[in-house]
Amino acid sequence: MMTTSLNWNSRQLTHGWQRGINAFYYGLGLTDEDLDKAQIGIGVPLLDGNLCNVHAYELAKQIAQGCREAGLLGFPFGVPAISDNITQGHEGGNASLPSRNMIANGAECVVSAHGYDGLIGLHHCDKNGPALRWPWPA
């Protein structure tokens, strides 16, 4: 019977050939035991100038704590956040729909590059909800 470890992707970094990566993790305060845990990226729409996202980072930190309590490592990272309410009716409105692609591309870049095993995307509006759906379509 084949079993799949929750750290199916991150273990390529934490137990891979590049030992210097572990020194970086140790600098973040991780332990040898932590290097066996699955790593979860937490995509956070960061924009304190928008009511929809003003508490997003605080929520992400709580989610990261929940990950730790569940035996996982959660790492919040920022993605763009565009407010329809603020941008409509002027040139800024042209950024609204394209921001979905920017959010998706940014999240995919961070999750892929850092070898995270999963993604939790904080959904605060109709822009970042669809953009933070993972895995992304091929």
Side-chain angles (χ1 to χ4, degrees):
M1 182 167 113
M2 187 172 96
T3 61
T4 302
S5 176
L6 290 178
N7 65 339
W8 63 275
N9 198 28
S10 63
R11 73 171 170 246
Q12 295 174 49
L13 298 175
T14 57
H15 296 287
W17 65 273
Q18 291 181 292
R19 303 316 302 163
I21 292 174
N22 289 0
F24 190 84
Y25 288 131
Y26 296 142
L28 292 174
L30 300 185
T31 65
D32 286 332
E33 183 180 277
D34 288 332
L35 299 181
D36 291 327
K37 296 177 181 176
Q39 297 183 9
I40 308 299
I42 303 169
V44 187
L46 294 176
L47 177 63
D48 280 354
N50 177 6
L51 257 166
C52 299
N53 300 303
V54 72
H55 300 296
Y57 194 70
E58 293 172 30
L59 292 172
K61 294 304 269 183
Q62 290 179 16
I63 292 169
Q65 180 59 38
C67 286
R68 186 161 283 284
E69 291 168 5
L72 310 167
L73 297 174
F75 297 108
F77 65 90
V79 297
I82 304 296
S83 169
D84 282 345
N85 289 329
I86 294 172
T87 62
Q88 288 181 9
H90 63 90
E91 187 64 26
N94 292 329
S96 184
L97 287 177
S99 73
R100 286 184 182 176
N101 287 338
M102 291 177 4
I103 294 165
N105 291 340
E108 182 177 15
C109 182
V110 171
V111 170
S112 298
H114 288 252
Y116 291 149
D117 303 297
L119 168 68
I120 297 172
L122 272 71
H123 177 14
H124 295 281
C125 76
D126 64 338
K127 296 297 157 300
N128 49 48
L132 289 169
R133 187 179 77 73
W134 189 65
W136 294 275

